[in-house]
Amino acid sequence: MNQFKTGQIVEIRKRLWRIDSIYKNELTATSIDSINNFQKRFYTPFEDIKIADTKLPSFDKIGELSKQKLLINAYRISLIHGSSPLLSLQRSTVIPVNFQLVPVVMALNSPRVRLLIADDVGLGKTIEAGLIINELIARQLVRRILIICPANLREQWQEALSIFFKLDFEIISSLHRKYLEKSLPIGLSPWEYFPKLITSVDYAKTKANKNEILNHDWDLILIDEAHLCARPHLSSDYSTTMQRWELLKAVYPKTKHLLLLTATPHNGYTDSFSSLIKALDIQADSENNLNFIDRVKAKKHVCQRRRIDVEKWLADEKSNFNPFPKRDKKEIHIKSLSIREVKIYKKLNYYGQEIMKLIDVKNVRYIAQFTILHFLKRSLSSPYALKKSLINRINKLKIVNDEPELKINDIRTLITEIDNFENITSEEAYLRFERTTLSQQVSELEIKILTEIYDEVKKIKPSNDTKYIKLIKEIIPELFNYANKIIIFTRYKDTLDYLQNNLEKDMLNTKILSIFGEMNAAQRKEVFSKFEEAEKAILIATDCISEGMNLQYLCSQIIHYELPWNPNRLEQRNGRVDRFGQPEEIVHLRTIIVDGTLDENILEKIIERSDHIREEFGFSPPFFNNEGDIIKYLINVGKIPDTRNKKGEIRPESSQLSIFDINNGKEELQQNSNAVNKEDLEEEIFFNQQITKIKNESFYGQTDIRLPDIEKKLKQTENTFGKKEEIENFIRSGLQLFGCSIHKKKDQVFIITLNDKRLLLPGRSVHMDNVTFDKNYAARNPKVELIDLSHPLVNRLVQLLKQQIYLETSNHYGRIAYKISHSIDKPIAIFKVLVRCVVGTEPTSIIEEILTLGFYVYQEEILSSQKVELFEKSEPLQGNRTTMEIKEDIQEVFNNKYWEKELTEMIDNYLKKIKEERNNLLETFDTTNLPDWLQGVTDVSYASHDILTLTTGYPV
């Protein structure tokens, strides 16, 4: 084994291999002359291994210049990040933006990766996490990986990891498990057998599945939307949120490496935020003090950038690139309601006051407050939603003795499920809540009042629904002036049905579609496809798509049909389209607010305050954890009746400020100025406490971690291969070279016929009927397949082209070619040289790059890089050069060894350049305490080189 070294090209079993590593009698190598560049291990005592000679091309055959260009581009694509010190880049096709490399560096700076990635909505947390996963796999630090995320994000994670990082993950759920178990050896669990799994947080938190997860060791666990698993603020309820926290608390000690991803890590409560820090297991929390965070210890493990941090980063680089759109955000006010609508609100107000007078049990009072709030929110959403809730409750009250009453903890669990709609759908949670009872004492009064309200609500039709008329007469027409696609968010499925049924009648030339929680992934994908295929469309959706979904290519306009009472929910919705990569310069956001209601009096103030904070500090504070927090806040500021003081005595009714007051609300505020001042003060204290905590306890920034040389190479790579035209030209030319056909089907959509069986993909037809080379078009059209650098067809094409270098009998041989150009006055020769170097890291890594050496054929003079570039960019001209003349010149090149000395010097200079770049990299770190991944990173030595191509050039 002493005669072999890492980076050499050897011949084993009549194939060519690049040696990747050597350990005792085991040699690991990658195939370089196969369509599939797979890696294989060999036991050397049993193998016949020879050092291969691939340095000089044969000049018996002269190829074509176009085929040579394809060959060179194929190598460039396969080496897209070939010299990067980050192995994750070498093994992926993604071209990240420089700031997305920071989490990878932070992860590698610790032998045990425990990282909270808390970047703002739309900054690319999935790409950042994928780079970390790929890096750890490449360094042989992880094998068994579990990703836990909300159910609606499972397929999105699976697709992203496959496309960008060539990582295959299986999804495990109650449905998928049946299929997984068919391929299992007898007696094995899918949790044990499959090394890379994706599951939903609510599937994982069930007792049986949690136990199975805990029965196995994991190298890496990633939890997306990790705020869903944070410890509930001062809660002892065994609710959905608590169960998720129990899951996180159980799994974090079971894995060496942990990644937590969330755009909203801090909900304003230190104890909840500190629970995420606790899960990092870095001794930055305290068992005795839930509000303690050791910021010095935690800082190295939290990557948290706001949009303004990234914009500052780009500005510091003097970059003209800003990946974020501008916001056109407006509140649309319903200034006056009809007499009947005002009457309904007043009756709801009366209902709340009368019910609270009769309640004298603390727990029941809590349920009553939520009941009042629930009806208010339904009434502000749509008359249809209110009508459905009223009839549900009336019918339940009439048969009150048929079902046992729910306990207070059951109610609180339902409230949490309504907020998070994971364990059950939001509609199911509401339906179960509407069928609970307060007490036998109030049932008759409830039936009487609610029946009166129901009779009034039945009279509200779309034609006299003030908000709906505003929507179709003003808001939708205004937005259609900017673009032909709109997403309308509503909290309630009933309102969604109401809007869909009526918009289909009133918007005849517009496709009306909807997505809601009960739909599975395939159904949602079908809706998204129809939405994008339609010339003009409106998509109505509940909050099932408000988190994690990347909709920036589908749409740039959102209407919030009712005001979400938590500004964080509003920001999550907006973040679906207002995010990194939105192709439109402006996103248009509209929120409907009913004046004279709690929307205007209180909650709009919260939204305005949130917007101000977002503009000033770059984040939208999550003021409330759930509905229970909202109730407590409203009681504190006197906007929801409590009827009892701290001693349990009934408060004077006159001191209560109704949450249902219409129009006269402001007058009543003035009449109760002393109370209002006190309430405003309490409100101010509440908000200031929330904002102070978030500001003081967050870890915004990480702009001090910069990798200038890596960033420079990323820009060069993006300029070379990031352009749609360059990629498309390469793919088109390559496919046509092997007899494949490409026909235009319609704008941006093509049909590809793969007539060469070597290009066929497993399980795929020879016909690819709907493909595009435009990533923006593909993102907007889910049924159209994107052909880009990450597509397996392109990978197969690249490997097939590279294979031709070793097949001199091939019709596609392009290793030697010639060109006639006006840019030169003497015959020249240009070599493209593939140089391999070994880096003394652990594990050993190999970097590869293509170098260019140009020189005159008949005089010992090297061409400057400018002359070579000018020649290569010049158009080939017609001219007569016989094969004999060309071969004589090539013979002269190979006989005159002048260029060998220059090539050696060029490779030495390249090594010096790589070492210099890596020394510059080290300057960004503390050299007295270098992380493991940087140990040996500057120890770069020559391994081998191949002369890929020779181009001779001739003057006209």
Side-chain angles (χ1 to χ4, degrees):
M1 291 294 289
N2 291 336
Q3 72 269 34
F4 303 119
K5 62 180 182 179
T6 302
Q8 280 184 324
I9 304 301
V10 294
E11 183 180 334
I12 309 175
R13 303 179 190 178
K14 298 182 179 181
R15 304 292 296 271
L16 295 177
W17 304 80
R18 184 197 70 191
I19 299 177
D20 297 331
S21 64
I22 301 172
Y23 180 72
K24 294 184 178 179
N25 289 328
E26 185 178 288
L27 181 150
T28 304
T30 298
S31 168
I32 66 169
D33 63 350
S34 168
I35 296 178
N36 300 310
N37 57 336
F38 56 92
Q39 192 179 65
K40 189 175 178 65
R41 289 186 296 176
F42 298 96
Y43 186 60
T44 54
F46 291 172
E47 301 288 349
D48 180 17
I49 305 175
K50 300 176 183 177
I51 296 176
D53 182 11
T54 60
K55 293 183 179 179
L56 296 177
S58 168
F59 53 90
D60 289 338
K61 183 175 181 178
I62 309 300
E64 297 176 22
L65 189 65
S66 61
K67 294 174 181 177
Q68 186 182 81
K69 184 179 179 181
L70 273 174
L71 175 62
I72 293 170
N73 282 337
Y75 267 93
R76 281 177 173 159
I77 288 172
S78 67
L79 303 176
I80 190 168
H81 301 297
S83 63
S84 172
L86 295 175
L87 303 184
S88 52
L89 288 179
Q90 294 184 23
R91 296 187 175 207
S92 70
T93 54
V94 67
I95 303 176
V97 184
N98 49 17
F99 71 84
Q100 293 174 332
L101 297 178
V102 171
V104 188
V105 175
M106 293 181 69
L108 289 174
N109 283 348
S110 173
R112 183 168 173 258
V113 180
R114 314 289 288 195
L115 190 62
L116 169 61
I117 303 178
D119 285 345
D120 202 356
V121 172
L123 294 188
K125 289 184 289 296
T126 302
I127 294 297
E128 294 168 347
L131 287 168
I132 293 172
I133 292 171
N134 228 11
E135 192 76 34
L136 296 178
I137 290 174
R139 296 178 184 278
Q140 302 173 28
L141 297 175
V142 302
R143 190 183 75 86
R144 289 181 47 77
I145 305 169
L146 176 64
I147 294 176
I148 302 174
C149 63
N152 63 312
L153 300 182
R154 293 172 308 195
E155 285 76 13
Q156 188 167 293
W157 267 103
Q158 185 184 46
E159 185 176 295
L161 291 168
S162 173
I163 289 175
F164 296 123
F165 304 104
K166 304 289 190 295
L167 298 175
D168 295 324
F169 278 74
E170 300 289 346
I171 294 175
I172 181 168
S173 68
S174 54
L175 177 63
H176 293 84
R177 184 164 185 160
K178 297 174 184 178
Y179 297 99
L180 294 179
E181 287 177 343
K182 291 180 181 179
S183 59
L184 287 179
I186 296 175
L188 284 184
S189 159
W191 300 100
E192 177 184 10
Y193 182 73
F194 295 100
K196 300 182 185 72
L197 286 171
I198 300 172
T199 191
S200 77
V201 62
D202 287 312
Y203 185 71
K205 73 176 172 52
T206 61
K207 185 177 181 180
N209 290 323
K210 184 168 77 171
N211 288 338
E212 284 207 67
I213 291 170
L214 296 175
N215 281 338
H216 306 291
D217 292 324
W218 300 94
D219 300 318
L220 169 66
I221 291 180
L222 181 152
I223 299 182
D224 192 18
E225 304 296 348
H227 59 277
L228 298 176
C229 297
R231 177 174 43 217
H233 171 57
L234 300 178
S235 173
S236 59
D237 301 334
Y238 197 71
S239 62
T240 300
T241 306
M242 180 57 79
Q243 291 176 48
R244 292 175 186 154
W245 162 241
E246 294 292 344
L247 170 68
L248 175 57
K249 190 166 63 170
V251 301
Y252 80 72
K254 293 289 293 182
T255 179
K256 180 177 181 180
H257 306 292
L258 178 71
L259 294 177
L260 302 178
L261 276 59
T262 173
T264 53
H266 204 308
N267 61 1
Y269 297 108
T270 305
D271 59 333
S272 289
F273 179 53
S274 70
S275 69
L276 296 180
I277 303 299
K278 178 181 179 63
L280 296 177
D281 198 20
I282 53 175
Q283 287 74 53
D285 64 302
S286 170
E287 290 290 342
N288 300 323
N289 183 0
L290 298 181
N291 293 319
F292 172 78
I293 298 173
D294 187 327
R295 293 186 57 79
V296 175
K297 288 182 178 179
K299 185 178 180 180
K300 296 179 180 179
H301 299 270
V302 181
C303 183
Q304 187 174 17
R305 277 87 55 89
R306 300 156 295 182
R307 180 182 293 195
I308 57 174
D309 295 323
V310 173
E311 288 173 340
K312 182 179 182 301
W313 179 307
L314 296 171
D316 290 344
E317 293 182 330
K318 296 181 173 56
S319 171
N320 294 322
F321 170 65
N322 189 339
F324 305 109
K326 296 179 181 177
R327 280 191 178 195
D328 168 28
K329 183 176 179 293
K330 296 177 184 175
E331 284 72 44
I332 308 299
H333 292 264
I334 308 297
K335 294 187 179 300
S336 60
L337 299 172
S338 67
I339 295 174
R340 179 169 285 115
E341 288 169 325
V342 171
K343 185 177 181 180
I344 290 169
Y345 285 117
K346 286 187 174 181
K347 283 185 175 290
L348 283 171
N349 175 43
Y350 173 72
Y351 164 77
Q353 292 176 340
E354 293 302 307
I355 293 301
M356 291 307 297
K357 288 179 185 177
L358 298 176
I359 301 299
D360 56 1
V361 180
K362 179 181 178 182
N363 286 348
V364 179
R365 214 163 50 241
Y366 178 85
I367 300 171
Q369 289 160 350
F370 189 88
T371 305
I372 296 165
L373 195 64
H374 173 62
F375 280 127
L376 171 67
K377 296 177 77 171
R378 300 280 284 186
S379 66
L380 290 173
S381 179
S382 70
Y384 183 73
L386 178 59
K387 184 171 69 173
K388 292 280 285 185
S389 290
L390 289 171
I391 196 64
N392 284 339
R393 188 154 187 81
I394 291 169
N395 289 339
K396 171 59 186 176
L397 291 172
K398 288 180 178 179
I399 52 171
V400 68
N401 294 321
D402 287 5
E403 297 179 21
E405 294 183 13
L406 290 181
K407 297 179 181 178
I408 184 63
N409 281 353
D410 296 328
I411 295 294
R412 286 177 172 164
T413 298
L414 272 179
I415 291 170
T416 304
E417 288 169 339
I418 288 171
D419 278 306
N420 297 299
F421 47 86
E422 282 281 346
N423 192 42
I424 61 175
T425 68
S426 59
E427 292 304 309
E428 182 184 349
Y430 280 121
L431 189 62
R432 283 164 56 181
F433 180 80
E434 288 162 359
R435 290 176 176 171
T436 64
T437 57
L438 299 176
S439 72
Q440 192 74 38
Q441 175 188 9
V442 298
S443 294
E444 287 189 17
L445 178 62
E446 271 201 274
I447 292 174
K448 178 179 180 298
I449 300 175
L450 294 180
T451 301
E452 291 175 359
I453 298 173
Y454 179 76
D455 290 339
E456 291 295 330
V457 174
K458 284 194 303 182
K459 298 173 185 177
I460 303 291
K461 309 296 181 185
S463 58
N464 60 359
D465 178 353
T466 306
K467 186 162 74 163
Y468 178 75
I469 294 171
K470 187 87 168 179
L471 175 73
I472 63 171
K473 297 293 185 183
E474 297 182 27
I475 305 173
I476 290 176
E478 184 234 347
L479 292 185
F480 273 153
N481 287 329
Y482 305 121
N484 285 339
K485 303 292 170 65
I486 299 171
I487 297 175
I488 300 178
F489 273 108
T490 177
R491 177 148 193 184
Y492 304 108
K493 172 65 165 53
D494 291 328
T495 298
L496 180 147
D497 293 337
Y498 173 75
L499 290 174
Q500 182 166 23
N501 292 336
N502 290 295
L503 288 175
E504 285 175 348
K505 299 172 187 174
D506 295 328
M507 310 292 294
L508 297 180
N509 297 321
T510 304
K511 186 76 172 176
I512 309 299
L513 300 156
S514 63
I515 286 182
F516 47 91
E518 291 82 353
M519 298 172 71
N520 60 35
Q523 291 170 323
R524 295 183 192 191
K525 188 171 183 179
E526 180 69 18
V527 172
F528 283 133
S529 296
K530 291 179 179 178
F531 180 58
E532 193 48 44
E533 289 171 357
E535 183 177 341
K536 197 174 186 180
I538 295 174
L539 173 63
I540 312 164
T542 62
D543 281 314
C544 66
I545 66 167
S546 69
E547 283 188 325
M549 300 296 292
N550 303 325
L551 307 179
Q552 68 268 38
Y553 297 107
L554 285 173
C555 187
S556 61
Q557 305 188 120
I558 284 177
I559 299 172
H560 305 280
Y561 195 66
E562 65 273 298
L563 178 70
W565 283 12
N566 192 328
N568 196 44
R569 174 64 71 189
L570 188 69
E571 190 58 32
Q572 285 170 336
R573 290 178 178 181
N574 292 337
R576 299 313 100 217
V577 302
D578 182 13
R579 61 192 295 113
F580 185 95
Q582 167 61 250
E584 300 296 331
E585 292 184 5
I586 300 175
V587 294
H588 303 279
L589 311 170
R590 302 290 180 265
T591 305
I592 303 177
I593 295 174
V594 181
D595 283 5
T597 67
L598 198 57
D599 269 3
E600 182 189 38
N601 291 344
I602 298 298
L603 295 174
E604 186 188 2
K605 186 185 296 185
I606 296 174
I607 300 298
E608 288 175 346
R609 192 183 297 250
S610 176
D611 286 344
H612 175 73
I613 292 166
R614 184 179 180 277
E615 290 175 7
E616 184 175 354
F617 301 108
F619 64 87
S620 182
F623 290 110
F624 303 112
N625 253 339
N626 50 41
E627 299 283 354
D629 287 345
I630 294 176
I631 289 175
K632 291 173 186 175
Y633 167 70
L634 294 175
I635 292 173
N636 286 340
V637 297
K639 305 304 181 184
I640 186 170
D642 192 22
T643 72
R644 295 180 179 272
N645 57 26
K646 293 181 180 179
K647 296 180 180 179
E649 301 165 340
I650 296 179
R651 293 174 175 172
E653 189 176 330
S654 59
S655 69
Q656 291 304 307
L657 192 63
S658 169
I659 60 175
F660 302 111
D661 284 339
I662 307 297
N663 298 327
N664 66 343
K666 293 178 181 177
E667 296 174 7
E668 190 168 348
L669 281 171
Q670 293 172 355
Q671 294 170 5
N672 294 277
S673 58
N674 292 334
V676 171
N677 289 336
K678 180 182 177 183
E679 291 156 6
D680 284 346
L681 179 60
E682 290 177 348
E683 180 185 334
E684 192 69 29
I685 293 172
F686 172 82
F687 284 120
N688 287 341
Q689 288 174 342
Q690 298 280 85
I691 299 308
T692 300
K693 285 181 182 178
I694 296 174
K695 283 168 54 181
N696 291 342
E697 296 172 2
S698 294
F699 295 84
Y700 295 118
Q702 279 83 25
T703 56
D704 55 329
I705 299 176
R706 288 182 178 269
L707 307 170
D709 291 289
I710 297 178
E711 293 168 10
K712 181 180 177 181
K713 282 183 176 287
L714 283 176
K715 288 180 181 178
Q716 292 172 347
T717 301
E718 186 173 18
N719 290 336
T720 304
F721 294 112
K723 296 177 182 177
K724 166 184 172 292
E725 295 77 13
E726 294 291 331
I727 297 170
E728 183 175 347
N729 288 339
F730 169 77
I731 297 170
R732 281 175 168 275
S733 300
L735 291 176
Q736 289 168 0
L737 180 66
F738 295 104
C740 304
S741 62
I742 303 177
H743 299 292
K744 191 170 186 176
K745 188 174 182 179
K746 60 180 181 179
D747 183 42
Q748 302 291 347
V749 181
F750 301 87
I751 299 173
I752 295 177
T753 303
L754 302 174
N755 294 318
D756 192 314
K757 64 180 182 180
R758 292 173 295 179
L759 288 169
L760 290 179
L761 301 173
R764 300 289 294 269
S765 165
V766 297
H767 301 290
M768 302 176 71
D769 292 333
N770 288 287
V771 302
T772 184
F773 302 102
D774 189 314
K775 67 178 181 180
N776 291 342
Y777 187 90
R780 296 192 302 267
N781 294 269
K783 285 187 176 179
V784 179
E785 187 173 7
L786 176 64
I787 306 293
D788 66 356
L789 295 182
S790 64
H791 195 281
L793 174 64
V794 176
N795 182 61
R796 183 67 63 93
L797 176 62
V798 164
Q799 298 308 319
L800 185 56
L801 283 166
K802 288 170 61 178
Q803 188 186 48
Q804 306 311 304
I805 200 170
Y806 306 105
L807 303 175
E808 295 177 9
T809 58
S810 168
N811 292 328
H812 310 310
Y813 186 72
R815 231 180 145 183
I816 292 184
Y818 76 96
K819 176 180 176 180
I820 298 174
S821 169
H822 62 73
S823 69
I824 55 175
D825 56 4
K826 301 174 187 177
I828 66 170
I830 296 177
F831 282 137
K832 295 292 181 183
V833 185
L834 175 62
V835 179
R836 303 180 187 89
C837 301
V838 180
V839 185
T841 52
E842 183 59 44
T844 300
S845 62
I846 298 172
I847 60 177
E848 297 178 317
E849 194 157 311
I850 297 175
L851 305 182
T852 301
L853 178 66
F855 52 92
Y856 289 105
V857 175
Y858 293 100
Q859 65 187 78
E860 295 185 356
E861 183 180 344
I862 294 295
L863 293 171
S864 67
S865 58
Q866 291 82 2
K867 286 185 178 180
V868 171
E869 183 178 0
L870 187 63
F871 171 76
E872 291 184 334
K873 287 185 175 180
S874 66
E875 290 295 324
L877 302 176
Q878 295 293 326
N880 293 321
R881 288 294 185 279
T882 65
T883 302
M884 183 64 68
E885 287 178 294
I886 297 170
K887 286 188 175 181
E888 287 177 358
D889 292 337
I890 296 173
Q891 185 69 58
E892 175 65 23
V893 168
F894 288 161
N895 287 340
N896 185 348
K897 299 300 182 181
Y898 157 75
W899 56 266
E900 285 191 332
K901 174 176 171 291
E902 297 296 335
L903 177 58
T904 301
E905 186 176 335
M906 183 179 69
I907 293 174
D908 287 342
N909 289 334
Y910 171 70
L911 284 172
K912 291 176 183 176
K913 175 189 168 188
I914 291 293
K915 291 179 180 179
E916 182 181 351
E917 289 177 353
R918 294 180 173 224
N919 277 315
N920 291 341
L921 175 66
L922 292 185
E923 289 179 5
T924 63
F925 298 90
D926 178 8
T927 55
T928 61
N929 188 27
L930 280 180
D932 291 345
W933 75 280
L934 284 173
Q935 298 290 343
V937 75
T938 60
D939 180 14
V940 183
S941 59
Y942 167 79
S944 64
H945 75 270
D946 297 338
I947 294 179
L948 298 179
T949 63
L950 167 61
T951 310
T952 56
Y954 300 96
V956 178

